[in-house]
Each structure stands twice: as structure tokens, then as C-alpha cells.
């Protein structure tokens, strides 16, 4: 499935979805000294991960337990990075590095700012306006192409977003509805 997206500014990611990137162990295919994977997560749009080596370049997030990922947000700056700017991303997911499957292709033209896109594949409602989150252990963003066929790449930020958390209410102190849980619902 190929998706074309439009860029959004400013430097701060505006979303109501929780950042679940801190639950993952992050790795990159390569990096120049001083431009490592930490630059993706520091929240500073002036720092960036820069790849160093043969293509393809990729960022991998490995989670210790299965997590639900709703969206991925990437911060790119075409004006500052020119030929280092990714124009085509391939998103892969799986249970481990050995079984990653291509789930989405994202194409961009001169991206500027935060770009958010759904990771899920199945519609969450009948209208098809939203997608269900994807449950996975490993998520990988592969840079398939750069602007002007650039060799290395710059990515200024990357955020994995989980599904919206349901609000907790006092009525649902014990949200379980089957008989075994209902008989222990009250404290004597």
C-alpha cells in the first residue's frame, strides 16, 4: 500500500496519541560520529541522525513485548538537508528481525516538518477513515530513496505513537464482565 503525505510544521509534534518509543531498543544501519540514533529521540530539530555507508539505510525499534502501534511520525527538513532528505520510506513490521514484512510505502515530495501516517492495515470503522493499530515486536523504517538520489540520509526526529488510551472511570473499577470476575467484584 502506497501513501502520499503532506508535511506539517512546526518543530513540536502535535498529537493526542502516546509516544511509545521509550519502550523500544533503537538501532540504525550506520551513522556518522556525533549523528547517532540518540539524535532521533532528543526532540531537537537542529540535530539529526546521519547515515554513513551503503544503502539501504534503516532505523529499527525492537520491543520486549508485543505493542500496539497506531502511527509513526518522522521529522524531515528538505530546506536544510536537500539531497540528504528521504523521499520514499518503506515501513516493515514483524515478530523479529528474521520475519519482517513490508506493510507500507510512504512517498513524499520536499517534506518539511512532522509527517504522520498510520501503520495499521485494517479499517477500524465502516467508513474506513481510521485504521486499527498494528501489534508487533519489531518496527523498521527503511529509507528507500532520497531527494536527487542522495547517498546518505538525515532524519531529525522519529516517534512511534500508540493507540489513544481509554479514560479510566470509577464505574469500571473492575472492567471484567464474565461470571468469575463478577463474583469477586465487591469487597466484604
Amino acid at each position: 500500500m502506497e501513501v502520499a503525505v503532506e508535511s506539517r510544521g512546526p518543530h513540536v509534534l502535535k498529537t493526542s496519541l502516546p509516544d511509545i518509543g521509550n519502550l523500544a531498543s533503537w538501532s540504525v544501519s550506520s551513522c556518522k560520529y556525533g549523528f547517532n540514533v540518540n539524535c532521533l529521540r532528543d526532540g531537537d530539530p537542529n540535530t539529526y541522525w546521519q547515515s554513513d555507508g551503503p544503502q539501504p539505510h534503516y532505523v529499527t525499534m525492537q520491543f520486549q513485548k508485543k505493542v500496539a502501534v497506531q502511527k509513526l511520525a518522522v521529522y524531515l527538513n528538505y530546506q536544510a538537508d536537500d539531497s540528504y532528505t528521504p523521499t520514499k520510506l518503506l515501513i516493515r513490521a514483524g515478530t523479529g528481525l528474521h520475519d519482517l514484512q513490508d506493510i507500507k510505502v510512504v512517498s513524499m515530495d520536499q517534506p518539511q516538518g512532522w509527517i504522520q501516517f498510520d501503520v495499521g492495515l485494517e479499517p477500524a470503522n465502516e467508513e474506513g477513515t481510521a485504521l486499527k493499530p498494528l501489534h508487533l515486536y519489531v518496527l523498521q523504517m527503511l529509507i528507500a530513496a532520497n531527494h536527487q538520489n542522495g547517498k546518505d540520509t538525515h532524519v531529525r526526529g522519529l516517534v512511534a505513537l500508540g493507540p489513544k488510551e481509554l479514560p479510566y472511570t470509577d464505574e469500571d473499577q473492575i472492567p471484567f464482565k464474565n461470571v468469575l470476575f463478577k463474583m469477586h467484584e465487591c469487597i466484604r
Side-chain angles (χ1 to χ4, degrees):
M1 169 181 247
E2 187 160 336
V3 177
V5 295
E6 291 186 25
S7 302
R8 290 185 229 164
H11 301 306
V12 178
L13 177 63
K14 293 180 181 175
T15 182
S16 61
L17 301 175
D19 179 1
I20 58 170
N22 58 336
L23 302 175
S25 172
W26 291 64
S27 61
V28 292
S29 54
S30 64
C31 66
K32 289 223 186 236
Y33 182 75
F35 300 95
N36 57 23
V37 70
N38 296 331
C39 296
L40 289 171
R41 303 280 303 151
D42 65 5
D44 184 357
N46 297 316
T47 63
Y48 50 85
W49 161 61
Q50 180 175 340
S51 61
D52 184 26
Q55 292 178 331
H57 307 297
Y58 54 85
V59 179
T60 306
M61 293 171 258
Q62 294 180 316
F63 297 91
Q64 289 190 0
K65 61 180 183 174
K66 190 181 260 187
V67 296
V69 179
Q70 184 72 49
K71 291 186 176 202
L72 210 55
V74 60
Y75 189 84
L76 302 172
N77 188 340
Y78 169 76
Q79 291 176 341
D81 298 332
D82 197 32
S83 67
Y84 289 92
T85 307
T87 57
K88 190 173 188 180
L89 303 174
L90 179 62
I91 309 304
R92 296 174 165 176
T95 59
L97 292 173
H98 59 280
D99 71 348
L100 293 175
Q101 295 182 9
D102 299 348
I103 58 168
K104 192 160 290 203
V105 176
V106 180
S107 297
M108 302 163 286
D109 183 38
Q110 300 182 358
Q112 187 70 35
W114 283 106
I115 297 135
Q116 292 185 49
F117 49 90
D118 279 299
V119 177
L121 302 171
E122 296 180 36
N125 54 27
E126 290 183 19
E127 297 84 34
T129 56
L131 297 175
K132 289 182 182 177
L134 191 62
H135 297 269
L136 49 82
Y137 285 95
V138 178
L139 182 64
Q140 187 177 74
M141 182 182 77
L142 186 130
I143 288 85
N146 285 335
H147 182 66
Q148 298 175 344
N149 294 321
K151 177 185 168 195
D152 287 326
T153 194
H154 288 179
V155 177
R156 294 177 179 267
L158 183 61
V159 178
L161 300 168
K164 200 177 265 190
E165 296 172 351
L166 298 175
Y168 179 77
T169 62
D170 287 338
E171 294 174 6
D172 293 332
Q173 286 183 356
I174 300 178
F176 307 104
K177 301 298 180 198
N178 71 25
V179 175
L180 291 173
F181 284 108
K182 289 297 263 178
M183 67 185 210
H184 297 289
E185 186 175 36
C186 297
I187 298 174
R188 294 189 220 192

